[in-house]
Amino acid sequence: MSNRVKQLRESRGWTQSDLGERIGVGWQTVSRIENARTRIMPKHEKSLAVALEVPVTSLYAEPDSGQIAEDERDTVEVPLLARISASSFRQQDGVKVADIERHVKVSHLPKGDWFALTVEGDSMNRIAPDGSIIIVNRADDHLVDGGYYVFSLNDGAATFKKFKREPSPMLVPFSWSPDHYSIPIGDQDLYVFGRVKRIITDL
């Protein structure tokens, strides 16, 4: 019995290590799961389904027509915001029609206040190359160490970074390029637009 774990993981822009961290195992275990031809162990099934935000049945092979219909019902249209509107988003209560470039269809999102942004630049290209679309939950602004968020500092433009709490709070790039540096928060006015929960990228 083949599974779709690799396909689901890569569609979110995650490495095997990223998924392993989310389910409490090493990347080697994730690799074995992805290459297995037998059913995934029950203890991993549940944690994978939670981490990937899909039903357990969606971990396996291609869904049948009934599952496709169920997936379509669980698909929502998320507004993709213009870059300039993202920088002023902190001053308004919600998304305005004028802010929206288009909508993107996303499946299996939990309840939240969702919007999407297009990534510009290479400061996060290890998980989100230039041109990727990030799906952001505005309702989730609680900072978790190691989480990915969209921020602005001192009323500046929106920026997508990883949050690190230790040794001191800072916004950290995740890039193959050595040209990017961590940004100490210090006494700056930090605004959290929301947590990035999904990445859509073309291969």
Side-chain angles (χ1 to χ4, degrees):
M1 176 184 291
S2 60
N3 67 68
R4 302 173 61 230
V5 174
K6 181 178 181 180
Q7 176 187 346
L8 293 165
R9 170 180 62 79
E10 291 181 341
S11 71
R12 288 152 178 76
W14 298 348
T15 64
Q16 290 179 334
S17 295
D18 293 332
L19 180 55
E21 288 179 7
R22 288 169 167 82
I23 66 172
V25 301
W27 70 265
Q28 299 94 332
T29 299
V30 174
S31 179
R32 286 195 294 271
I33 290 172
E34 291 181 347
N35 292 294
R37 290 295 178 265
T38 57
R39 191 173 182 90
I40 300 167
M41 294 177 63
K43 66 178 181 179
H44 293 324
E45 270 188 341
K46 183 175 180 181
S47 56
L48 283 166
V50 171
L52 294 165
E53 299 173 351
V54 298
V56 169
T57 53
S58 292
L59 297 175
Y60 295 97
E62 289 301 319
D64 58 24
S65 58
Q67 183 64 50
I68 291 171
E70 180 181 340
D71 289 346
E72 288 177 347
R73 288 196 298 271
D74 196 31
T75 298
V76 296
E77 291 195 346
V78 177
L80 177 67
L81 305 186
R83 180 174 60 88
I84 191 168
S85 73
S87 64
S88 60
F89 200 25
R90 63 187 295 179
Q91 277 84 38
Q92 63 191 56
D93 293 329
V95 177
K96 298 177 181 178
V97 174
D99 298 325
I100 301 172
E101 288 188 350
R102 60 186 176 90
H103 288 80
V104 292
K105 291 185 177 182
V106 186
S107 299
H108 305 302
L109 288 178
K111 291 182 178 179
D113 183 5
W114 298 97
F115 68 94
L117 291 172
T118 300
V119 174
E120 295 187 355
D122 61 358
S123 68
M124 297 294 287
N125 66 4
R126 291 182 67 177
I127 58 168
D130 182 53
S132 301
I133 294 175
I134 53 176
I135 309 299
V136 187
N137 185 4
R138 194 183 185 199
D140 187 356
D141 59 1
H142 175 67
L143 291 175
V144 175
D145 188 43
Y148 297 93
Y149 299 85
V150 176
F151 303 93
S152 73
L153 290 169
N154 296 333
D155 289 329
T159 183
F160 168 39
K161 293 291 184 291
K162 184 176 183 178
F163 175 72
K164 293 293 290 182
R165 196 177 299 279
E166 302 294 340
S168 60
M170 61 182 61
L171 311 185
V172 181
F174 197 46
S175 175
W176 298 110
S177 169
D179 297 332
H180 301 283
Y181 301 91
S182 298
I183 305 171
I185 296 173
D187 296 327
Q188 297 188 71
D189 175 24
L190 177 69
Y191 178 81
V192 183
F193 287 103
R195 187 170 184 176
V196 178
K197 297 294 289 183
R198 192 78 57 84
I199 298 169
I200 302 172
T201 184
D202 291 329
L203 296 179

